[in-house]
Amino acid sequence: MAGYPERVYLNGVVMPAGEARVSAFDRGFLFADGVYEVIPVYGGRPLRLAQHLRRLDASLGAIRLANPHGDAEWQAIVTRLIATAGGGDVYIYIQITRGPAPRDHVFPPQPTPTVFAYAQPIVPAPERVRDGIAALFVADIRWHRCDIKSIALLANVLARDAATRADCAEALFVRDGFVTEGASSNLFIVRDGELRTPPNGPTLLPGVTRDLVLELARAAGVSTHQVPLPVADVSGADEVWITSSVREIVAVTTLDGTPVGNGRPGPLYARLAAAFQDYKRRFAAGSAT
Protein backbone atom coordinates (compact mmCIF):
# COMPACT_ATOMS: atom_id res chain seq x y z
CA MET A 1 0.00 0.00 0.00
CA ALA A 2 1.79 3.08 -1.28
CA GLY A 3 2.27 5.76 1.35
CA TYR A 4 1.49 3.44 4.25
CA PRO A 5 4.05 1.87 6.60
CA GLU A 6 4.68 -1.81 5.99
CA ARG A 7 4.37 -2.73 9.67
CA VAL A 8 2.59 -1.12 12.60
CA TYR A 9 2.38 -1.52 16.35
CA LEU A 10 -1.09 -2.20 17.76
CA ASN A 11 -1.71 -3.02 21.42
CA GLY A 12 1.62 -4.71 22.01
CA VAL A 13 2.00 -6.49 18.67
CA VAL A 14 4.01 -5.47 15.59
CA MET A 15 2.18 -6.69 12.50
CA PRO A 16 1.77 -6.02 8.79
CA ALA A 17 -0.22 -2.81 8.36
CA GLY A 18 -2.90 -4.60 6.34
CA GLU A 19 -3.63 -6.91 9.26
CA ALA A 20 -4.22 -4.17 11.85
CA ARG A 21 -7.81 -4.10 13.12
CA VAL A 22 -9.51 -1.68 15.54
CA SER A 23 -13.05 -2.00 16.87
CA ALA A 24 -15.75 0.03 15.10
CA PHE A 25 -16.80 1.06 18.62
CA ASP A 26 -13.39 2.51 19.47
CA ARG A 27 -13.95 5.94 21.01
CA GLY A 28 -11.21 7.35 18.83
CA PHE A 29 -13.35 6.47 15.80
CA LEU A 30 -16.68 7.54 17.33
CA PHE A 31 -15.65 10.64 19.30
CA ALA A 32 -12.03 11.48 18.33
CA ASP A 33 -11.42 10.64 21.99
CA GLY A 34 -7.67 10.33 21.96
CA VAL A 35 -4.30 12.02 21.57
CA TYR A 36 -1.19 11.55 19.45
CA GLU A 37 2.49 12.36 19.30
CA VAL A 38 5.08 12.59 16.51
CA ILE A 39 8.76 11.97 17.25
CA PRO A 40 11.53 12.58 14.68
CA VAL A 41 14.40 10.12 14.56
CA TYR A 42 17.82 10.97 13.12
CA GLY A 43 20.46 8.32 12.53
CA GLY A 44 18.29 5.85 14.44
CA ARG A 45 18.15 8.12 17.52
CA PRO A 46 14.80 9.58 18.63
CA LEU A 47 15.14 13.35 19.03
CA ARG A 48 14.27 14.66 22.49
CA LEU A 49 12.28 11.55 23.36
CA ALA A 50 11.86 12.60 26.99
CA GLN A 51 10.27 15.91 25.95
CA HIS A 52 7.94 14.20 23.48
CA LEU A 53 6.88 11.64 26.09
CA ARG A 54 6.32 14.46 28.59
CA ARG A 55 4.04 16.22 26.09
CA LEU A 56 2.22 12.95 25.40
CA ASP A 57 1.69 12.43 29.12
CA ALA A 58 0.39 16.01 29.49
CA SER A 59 -2.11 15.46 26.65
CA LEU A 60 -3.30 12.21 28.23
CA GLY A 61 -3.65 13.89 31.60
CA ALA A 62 -5.65 16.72 30.07
CA ILE A 63 -8.24 14.26 28.67
CA ARG A 64 -8.20 12.25 31.92
CA LEU A 65 -6.80 9.07 30.40
CA ALA A 66 -4.07 7.16 32.24
CA ASN A 67 -0.85 6.68 30.33
CA PRO A 68 -0.80 3.00 29.32
CA HIS A 69 3.02 2.82 29.47
CA GLY A 70 5.87 4.18 31.50
CA ASP A 71 8.84 5.92 29.90
CA ALA A 72 10.96 2.76 29.75
CA GLU A 73 8.16 0.88 27.99
CA TRP A 74 7.70 3.70 25.50
CA GLN A 75 11.45 3.71 24.88
CA ALA A 76 11.27 0.01 24.07
CA ILE A 77 8.31 0.49 21.73
CA VAL A 78 10.04 3.37 19.92
CA THR A 79 13.26 1.35 19.59
CA ARG A 80 11.29 -1.57 18.20
CA LEU A 81 9.57 0.63 15.63
CA ILE A 82 12.82 2.25 14.53
CA ALA A 83 14.18 -1.25 13.87
CA THR A 84 11.12 -2.19 11.78
CA ALA A 85 11.77 0.86 9.58
CA GLY A 86 15.44 0.02 9.16
CA GLY A 87 16.74 2.89 11.30
CA GLY A 88 18.09 6.07 9.74
CA ASP A 89 15.91 9.18 9.55
CA VAL A 90 12.28 8.33 10.31
CA TYR A 91 9.43 9.67 12.36
CA ILE A 92 7.38 7.79 14.92
CA TYR A 93 3.63 8.34 15.08
CA ILE A 94 1.89 7.31 18.33
CA GLN A 95 -1.87 7.44 18.87
CA ILE A 96 -3.73 6.50 22.05
CA THR A 97 -7.52 6.42 22.28
CA ARG A 98 -9.83 5.59 25.18
CA GLY A 99 -10.53 2.31 23.39
CA PRO A 100 -13.71 0.40 22.56
CA ALA A 101 -16.87 0.93 24.60
CA PRO A 102 -20.65 1.19 24.02
CA ARG A 103 -21.36 4.56 22.42
CA ASP A 104 -21.99 7.00 25.26
CA HIS A 105 -20.61 10.47 25.91
CA VAL A 106 -19.80 9.40 29.49
CA PHE A 107 -16.34 7.90 29.93
CA PRO A 108 -16.32 4.10 30.35
CA PRO A 109 -15.49 3.32 34.00
CA GLN A 110 -12.55 1.05 33.13
CA PRO A 111 -11.28 1.93 29.65
CA THR A 112 -8.96 -0.32 27.70
CA PRO A 113 -6.89 2.14 25.65
CA THR A 114 -6.02 1.42 22.03
CA VAL A 115 -2.32 2.06 21.41
CA PHE A 116 -1.33 2.39 17.76
CA ALA A 117 2.06 3.43 16.39
CA TYR A 118 4.28 3.19 13.37
CA ALA A 119 7.52 4.46 11.83
CA GLN A 120 7.84 6.14 8.43
CA PRO A 121 10.88 7.55 6.61
CA ILE A 122 11.32 11.32 6.77
CA VAL A 123 11.16 12.54 3.19
CA PRO A 124 13.55 15.47 2.57
CA ALA A 125 11.80 18.70 1.63
CA PRO A 126 11.77 19.38 -2.12
CA GLU A 127 13.84 22.28 -3.43
CA ARG A 128 10.77 24.48 -3.84
CA VAL A 129 10.03 24.18 -0.12
CA ARG A 130 13.62 25.03 0.77
CA ASP A 131 13.12 28.20 -1.27
CA GLY A 132 10.19 29.17 0.97
CA ILE A 133 6.45 28.54 1.00
CA ALA A 134 3.24 30.53 0.70
CA ALA A 135 0.82 30.72 3.63
CA LEU A 136 -2.45 32.45 4.38
CA PHE A 137 -4.34 33.61 7.45
CA VAL A 138 -7.48 31.72 8.48
CA ALA A 139 -9.90 32.33 11.34
CA ASP A 140 -9.22 29.98 14.25
CA ILE A 141 -12.48 28.05 14.69
CA ARG A 142 -10.93 25.46 17.02
CA TRP A 143 -11.73 24.82 20.65
CA HIS A 144 -10.01 26.40 23.67
CA ARG A 145 -7.52 23.59 24.46
CA CYS A 146 -5.18 23.64 21.50
CA ASP A 147 -2.34 22.77 23.88
CA ILE A 148 -3.68 19.19 23.89
CA LYS A 149 -2.32 17.15 20.96
CA SER A 150 -5.79 15.82 20.21
CA ILE A 151 -6.69 13.58 17.28
CA ALA A 152 -9.76 15.84 16.76
CA LEU A 153 -8.12 17.65 13.83
CA LEU A 154 -11.04 18.47 11.51
CA ALA A 155 -10.62 22.25 11.92
CA ASN A 156 -6.91 21.88 11.12
CA VAL A 157 -7.75 19.73 8.10
CA LEU A 158 -10.22 22.33 6.84
CA ALA A 159 -7.60 25.06 7.30
CA ARG A 160 -5.00 23.09 5.34
CA ASP A 161 -7.57 22.42 2.63
CA ALA A 162 -8.27 26.16 2.39
CA ALA A 163 -4.52 26.74 2.09
CA THR A 164 -4.13 24.08 -0.58
CA ARG A 165 -6.99 25.49 -2.64
CA ALA A 166 -5.26 28.88 -2.46
CA ASP A 167 -1.99 27.28 -3.66
CA CYS A 168 -0.43 27.69 -0.21
CA ALA A 169 1.46 25.17 1.90
CA GLU A 170 0.24 26.27 5.35
CA ALA A 171 -2.58 28.13 7.08
CA LEU A 172 -1.86 30.42 10.04
CA PHE A 173 -4.60 30.64 12.66
CA VAL A 174 -5.87 34.04 13.80
CA ARG A 175 -7.75 34.32 17.09
CA ASP A 176 -8.93 37.64 18.55
CA GLY A 177 -6.53 39.55 16.31
CA PHE A 178 -3.45 37.46 17.17
CA VAL A 179 -1.69 34.80 15.11
CA THR A 180 -1.15 31.70 17.23
CA GLU A 181 0.28 28.86 15.13
CA GLY A 182 -0.06 27.01 11.84
CA ALA A 183 -2.52 24.25 11.06
CA SER A 184 0.30 21.75 11.68
CA SER A 185 3.19 23.92 12.83
CA ASN A 186 4.46 26.51 15.27
CA LEU A 187 5.12 30.10 14.23
CA PHE A 188 8.14 32.41 14.38
CA ILE A 189 8.68 35.91 13.06
CA VAL A 190 11.75 38.13 12.84
CA ARG A 191 11.36 41.86 13.53
CA ASP A 192 14.17 44.32 14.24
CA GLY A 193 16.67 41.46 14.49
CA GLU A 194 14.65 39.69 17.20
CA LEU A 195 13.16 36.21 16.94
CA ARG A 196 9.60 36.16 18.29
CA THR A 197 7.12 33.34 18.84
CA PRO A 198 3.77 33.25 20.67
CA PRO A 199 3.92 32.17 24.33
CA ASN A 200 2.70 28.75 25.43
CA GLY A 201 -0.91 28.60 26.51
CA PRO A 202 -4.24 27.00 25.61
CA THR A 203 -4.33 28.57 22.12
CA LEU A 204 -1.36 26.62 20.72
CA LEU A 205 0.57 23.39 20.98
CA PRO A 206 3.90 23.65 22.85
CA GLY A 207 6.31 22.52 20.14
CA VAL A 208 9.35 20.39 20.94
CA THR A 209 11.05 21.46 17.69
CA ARG A 210 10.05 25.05 18.47
CA ASP A 211 11.86 24.81 21.81
CA LEU A 212 14.94 23.40 20.10
CA VAL A 213 14.97 26.29 17.61
CA LEU A 214 14.77 28.75 20.49
CA GLU A 215 17.73 27.03 22.15
CA LEU A 216 19.78 27.12 18.95
CA ALA A 217 18.91 30.79 18.43
CA ARG A 218 20.01 31.75 21.94
CA ALA A 219 23.22 29.76 21.50
CA ALA A 220 23.88 31.79 18.33
CA GLY A 221 23.43 35.04 20.24
CA VAL A 222 20.00 35.83 18.77
CA SER A 223 17.56 37.75 20.96
CA THR A 224 14.42 35.62 21.46
CA HIS A 225 11.03 36.61 22.87
CA GLN A 226 7.83 34.68 23.55
CA VAL A 227 5.16 37.34 23.05
CA PRO A 228 1.67 37.55 21.51
CA LEU A 229 1.86 38.30 17.78
CA PRO A 230 -0.80 40.65 16.37
CA VAL A 231 -1.72 40.11 12.75
CA ALA A 232 -0.06 43.42 11.80
CA ASP A 233 3.25 42.30 13.34
CA VAL A 234 3.22 39.07 11.36
CA SER A 235 2.14 40.77 8.12
CA GLY A 236 4.91 43.35 8.51
CA ALA A 237 7.61 40.97 9.72
CA ASP A 238 11.06 40.88 8.16
CA GLU A 239 10.89 37.07 8.18
CA VAL A 240 8.23 34.47 8.97
CA TRP A 241 8.97 30.79 9.70
CA ILE A 242 7.07 27.69 10.67
CA THR A 243 8.49 24.71 12.57
CA SER A 244 7.34 21.15 13.20
CA SER A 245 8.77 17.75 14.03
CA VAL A 246 8.76 16.54 10.42
CA ARG A 247 9.05 19.79 8.43
CA GLU A 248 11.73 21.15 10.81
CA ILE A 249 12.20 24.87 9.90
CA VAL A 250 10.53 26.33 6.81
CA ALA A 251 10.54 29.96 5.69
CA VAL A 252 7.24 31.57 4.72
CA THR A 253 8.08 33.87 1.81
CA THR A 254 4.55 34.82 0.74
CA LEU A 255 1.74 35.59 3.18
CA ASP A 256 -1.80 36.28 2.05
CA GLY A 257 -0.45 36.86 -1.45
CA THR A 258 2.13 39.45 -0.37
CA PRO A 259 5.90 38.80 -0.26
CA VAL A 260 7.48 38.55 3.18
CA GLY A 261 10.54 40.83 3.14
CA ASN A 262 12.07 40.49 -0.31
CA GLY A 263 10.14 37.29 -1.01
CA ARG A 264 13.12 35.03 -0.27
CA PRO A 265 14.21 33.18 2.89
CA GLY A 266 15.85 35.75 5.13
CA PRO A 267 19.36 35.87 6.65
CA LEU A 268 18.33 34.80 10.15
CA TYR A 269 16.40 31.87 8.73
CA ALA A 270 19.52 30.85 6.80
CA ARG A 271 21.60 30.96 10.00
CA LEU A 272 19.14 28.98 12.09
CA ALA A 273 18.33 26.45 9.36
CA ALA A 274 22.06 25.77 9.03
CA ALA A 275 22.41 25.51 12.81
CA PHE A 276 19.52 23.05 12.89
CA GLN A 277 21.07 20.86 10.20
CA ASP A 278 24.42 20.95 12.01
CA TYR A 279 22.68 19.95 15.24
CA LYS A 280 20.97 17.07 13.42
CA ARG A 281 24.29 15.78 12.08
CA ARG A 282 25.87 15.95 15.52
CA PHE A 283 22.83 14.33 17.13
CA ALA A 284 22.79 11.48 14.63
CA ALA A 285 26.51 10.95 15.28
CA GLY A 286 25.91 10.83 19.04
CA SER A 287 27.78 14.04 19.84
CA ALA A 288 24.68 16.12 20.74
CA THR A 289 21.77 15.45 23.05
Side-chain angles (χ1 to χ4, degrees):
M1 295 184 293
Y4 293 92
E6 292 184 4
R7 301 181 68 79
V8 301
Y9 174 98
L10 181 62
N11 297 329
V13 179
V14 173
M15 63 186 72
E19 296 178 8
R21 298 290 184 271
V22 176
S23 169
F25 288 93
D26 193 282
R27 289 177 63 91
F29 175 64
L30 295 175
F31 294 117
D33 185 358
V35 300
Y36 73 105
E37 189 61 46
V38 179
I39 305 166
V41 175
Y42 299 118
R45 301 182 67 205
L47 180 69
R48 306 218 157 181
L49 180 59
Q51 290 90 328
H52 281 283
L53 293 180
R54 189 158 57 241
R55 185 171 67 177
L56 176 64
D57 196 59
S59 292
L60 287 166
I63 68 167
R64 298 193 291 282
L65 179 59
N67 196 328
H69 297 296
D71 284 359
E73 293 172 312
W74 281 121
Q75 172 74 64
I77 292 168
V78 167
T79 300
R80 191 175 177 187
L81 286 169
I82 294 170
T84 68
D89 292 357
V90 301
Y91 70 87
I92 305 293
Y93 177 86
I94 297 171
Q95 178 171 302
I96 305 166
T97 75
R98 211 173 300 271
R103 191 182 187 282
D104 191 328
H105 284 70
V106 178
F107 289 162
Q110 294 181 315
T112 303
T114 297
V115 181
F116 172 68
Y118 62 84
Q120 279 275 71
I122 294 176
V123 179
E127 190 65 40
R128 60 181 176 80
V129 171
R130 292 195 290 272
D131 288 340
I133 63 168
L136 80 168
F137 292 127
V138 297
D140 193 347
I141 60 172
R142 301 173 299 166
W143 66 333
H144 293 282
R145 288 303 309 273
C146 298
D147 55 315
I148 300 171
K149 204 165 175 65
S150 165
I151 63 173
L153 291 171
L154 182 56
N156 302 65
V157 169
L158 290 170
R160 281 295 293 274
D161 178 67
T164 299
R165 287 187 286 109
D167 200 25
C168 294
E170 183 60 299
L172 301 181
F173 285 121
V174 178
R175 184 180 298 213
D176 299 326
F178 293 90
V179 190
T180 56
E181 62 182 348
S184 59
S185 61
N186 287 116
L187 172 68
F188 285 91
I189 70 168
V190 178
R191 285 182 70 95
D192 303 321
E194 297 178 346
L195 186 60
R196 304 177 188 176
T197 188
N200 287 337
T203 62
L204 60 88
L205 184 73
V208 176
T209 300
R210 168 180 170 269
D211 288 345
L212 174 56
V213 170
L214 286 169
E215 289 180 24
L216 293 173
R218 288 191 288 265
V222 177
S223 177
T224 66
H225 299 275
Q226 296 187 41
V227 293
L229 299 180
V231 171
D233 283 6
V234 180
S235 296
D238 302 316
E239 301 182 33
V240 178
W241 317 341
I242 59 170
T243 62
S244 73
S245 292
V246 175
R247 289 196 277 185
E248 299 173 355
I249 312 177
V250 179
V252 175
T253 51
T254 303
L255 182 55
D256 264 7
T258 300
V260 176
N262 64 3
R264 301 287 298 172
L268 192 51
Y269 165 80
R271 284 179 60 194
L272 265 296
F276 191 95
Q277 295 305 313
D278 178 66
Y279 173 87
K280 276 175 52 182
R281 286 190 289 271
R282 290 185 291 110
F283 179 82
S287 60
T289 58

